[in-house]
Amino acid sequence: MKITQIRSATLIVEYAGKRFLVDPMLAPKDTYPGFPGTPNNHLRNPTVELVTPMADILAVDAVIVTHTHPDHWDHAAQALIPKTLPVFVQDASDAEIVQSAGFNDVRILGEGSSFEGIALTKTQGQHGSDVAVAAIGALLGEVSGVIFKHPDEKTVYLAGDTVWNDFVQSNLVKYLPDVVILNSGDAQFLGHGPIIMNKDDVLSVHLAAPNATLVATHMEAVNHALLKRTELRAFAAEHGMAHCLHVPEDGEAFTI
């Protein structure tokens, strides 16, 4: 398989001969205001430009939208992505949102969903701690991840916008993934802590799945993501997981 870090949580996952565009945020730098109630909300999003040509980003077989927050499914993506491409979403509510943008092949992920012989299984996550969800759960919303499975490939767990919790631990135990893609930017809401993984969460995943290759994404591209790539790499070296953790730069592609 080949994974290309596009920007923020946006990836291209080439798997069993198919190309998946994941969580597309495709607007130019500074298009949107910072997220209210978050650190650094004076900054505009995205905070960096795309470095991958748009033609390469759009040359895919299907799209996966783990949830429809604007840093995973923005207005630019809705305008640029061909309306005929299959788009996989987490539930009927998100399906309605995507269909309302003119997409006519919207598919809901579940236990038995697939694409061209590739099993795509929805997983559960939680967009913040129990305390954060109790306080601002309506704002944080529902999120999901995806398991990719095919006889000719290693199993991939794309965790989505979640912190380390029982859902993630259970998914690691149930699916035994060889590759785990983690949204690791330590994005936060003021007063409510991280809403995606921080460096300690990444370590928890490593300790729970020590033989898995980890990939850190969703870093350094939105105003409230506080963890820098250099900091995560140094932390990984200190804790003995640098050998199994990829922290790709935007535009970087690597094969597993």
Side-chain angles (χ1 to χ4, degrees):
M1 79 191 68
K2 183 178 179 182
I3 298 171
T4 304
Q5 169 65 36
I6 301 301
R7 182 185 59 190
S8 196
T10 308
L11 304 167
I12 291 177
V13 177
E14 298 180 49
Y15 190 86
K18 300 298 176 182
R19 286 169 57 91
F20 296 89
L21 175 61
V22 177
D23 285 347
M25 183 190 196
L26 303 182
K29 181 177 182 288
D30 296 338
T31 297
Y32 311 115
F35 292 109
T38 68
N40 302 319
N41 64 10
H42 62 285
L43 300 176
R44 295 183 65 82
N45 292 318
T47 60
V48 296
E49 293 285 8
L50 289 166
V51 298
T52 304
M54 191 62 68
D56 293 346
I57 295 172
L58 299 180
V60 296
D61 300 293
V63 181
I64 296 173
V65 178
T66 61
H67 64 298
T68 53
H69 283 172
D71 56 336
H72 295 255
W73 178 245
D74 71 341
H75 292 301
Q78 295 167 40
L80 290 165
I81 294 171
K83 299 298 188 291
T84 54
L85 277 178
V87 182
F88 289 88
V89 298
Q90 65 174 335
D91 55 26
S93 176
D94 280 5
E96 184 176 348
I97 290 170
V98 174
Q99 288 167 339
S100 71
F103 291 84
N104 53 38
D105 187 0
V106 182
R107 311 181 190 186
I108 298 175
L109 291 163
E111 283 291 330
S113 46
S114 65
F115 179 75
E116 301 290 336
I118 301 166
L120 298 172
T121 303
K122 175 185 170 182
T123 61
Q124 190 169 0
Q126 185 172 293
H127 207 350
S129 68
D130 291 346
V131 173
V133 169
I136 56 170
L139 179 62
L140 296 172
E142 296 293 325
V143 294
S144 69
V146 185
I147 299 290
F148 296 72
K149 197 170 182 64
H150 187 276
D152 298 333
E153 291 278 16
K154 296 177 182 295
T155 298
V156 175
Y157 171 28
L158 174 78
D161 265 11
T162 185
V163 295
W164 168 256
N165 52 34
D166 290 343
F167 295 127
V168 176
Q169 187 170 31
S170 296
N171 293 330
L172 294 172
V173 172
K174 180 176 181 179
Y175 297 105
L176 299 174
D178 304 289
V179 179
V180 185
I181 301 172
L182 302 172
N183 292 357
S184 307
D186 192 15
Q188 298 195 17
F189 263 83
L190 294 171
H192 300 289
I195 58 172
I196 62 175
M197 292 198 180
N198 59 22
K199 58 189 179 182
D200 291 319
D201 290 343
V202 175
L203 177 59
S204 294
V205 174
H206 171 62
L207 294 175
N211 296 319
T213 298
L214 308 184
V215 181
T217 185
H218 209 337
M219 304 186 76
E220 299 184 7
V222 287
N223 71 276
H224 59 327
L226 304 182
L227 180 60
K228 303 298 184 185
R229 291 180 171 105
T230 52
E231 184 181 356
L232 181 56
R233 292 184 187 119
F235 179 83
E238 292 168 7
H239 290 82
M241 59 176 178
H243 66 288
C244 63
L245 175 65
H246 290 274
V247 189
E249 298 291 332
D250 290 349
E252 181 180 346
F254 57 94
T255 301
I256 299 174

